Amino acid sequence: SECGNCIRKSWYSYKSPKETDKDLIKIFQAGNLIHEFIVDVLKSEKNPGITLIGSEVPFKIELDELIVSGRIDNIIKVELDNKIFLVEVKSASGLNFINIPSESHVMQLQLYMHQQNIHDGLILYIEKNTLKTKVFEVKYEFNIIEEALNRFKALHKYLVLDELPDPEARIERDMNWQCKNCSYKEECYKATPKDILP
């Protein structure tokens, strides 16, 4: 889930880890409950055309000096066409403004598809209050995987050299939303004030 995050934020999380905010813990827990709900739905007899192959499947890619790891939400088989999909579940406060999947979510799913050698994926957004859903199909694209792996290599290099990366979420317009709830906002602005942004 880190691969599409601002590299500076990830760097700070390794160099100056912070205790997770209590409100954020509640949000994570709500997300976990939603994921459990989706697993129950996928297992349900009401969905005879879908077989749940795995859930919370461990994921690991070894890259030279580093290991990228995580968990794949779900792997399903659609019986109609005998097709296997990786499913990444994301909870959202609302679905109205979600017209395409987030680039960071696509990047995350692409890595999973690459590691599992499954070239079909789904990103399922579920609205927390209503349990309404939106699904986006994602096809395997190696150029996105290369980008994700290069981002991990860059982060690793910055960490090893103890060098602060550029504040990319503040620079890249489509990443600006990440700054809103960033727990390292104060440190970031102190290290790189607005007037000296690259």
Side-chain angles (χ1 to χ4, degrees), residues 52-166:
L52 180 65
I53 295 173
S55 123
E56 293 291 311
V57 178
F59 151 88
K60 182 166 78 170
I61 292 178
E62 295 186 25
L63 285 173
D64 304 325
E65 307 166 338
L66 67 142
I67 294 173
V68 179
S69 64
R71 292 195 177 277
I72 300 163
D73 287 341
N74 302 295
I75 303 175
I76 62 170
K77 182 179 180 184
V78 177
E79 303 297 344
L80 181 68
D81 53 7
N82 210 28
K83 210 170 193 181
I84 295 175
F85 289 88
L86 295 185
V87 183
E88 184 60 26
V89 180
K90 299 293 182 187
S91 54
S93 53
L95 299 178
N96 291 341
F97 299 105
I98 300 176
N99 299 313
I100 57 169
S102 154
E103 282 184 32
S104 61
H105 298 159
V106 170
M107 193 176 280
Q108 181 182 356
L109 183 57
Q110 289 286 350
L111 277 176
Y112 295 161
M113 290 195 290
H114 181 70
Q115 189 262 353
Q116 289 286 315
N117 198 26
I118 295 172
H119 292 183
D120 294 286
L122 300 169
I123 298 179
L124 171 67
Y125 289 98
I126 182 161
E127 195 170 73
K128 294 173 192 171
N129 296 338
T130 65
L131 300 183
K132 289 180 183 175
T133 59
K134 266 191 185 179
V135 181
F136 297 93
E137 190 168 349
V138 176
K139 293 291 184 188
Y140 181 84
E141 289 184 57
F142 188 69
N143 61 317
I144 297 175
I145 293 145
E146 279 187 313
E147 182 187 347
L149 296 176
N150 286 336
R151 290 177 64 75
F152 282 120
K153 289 176 186 175
L155 172 61
H156 180 70
K157 184 179 174 185
Y158 284 119
L159 288 167
V160 169
L161 296 175
D162 197 24
E163 184 182 312
L164 184 67
D166 286 338

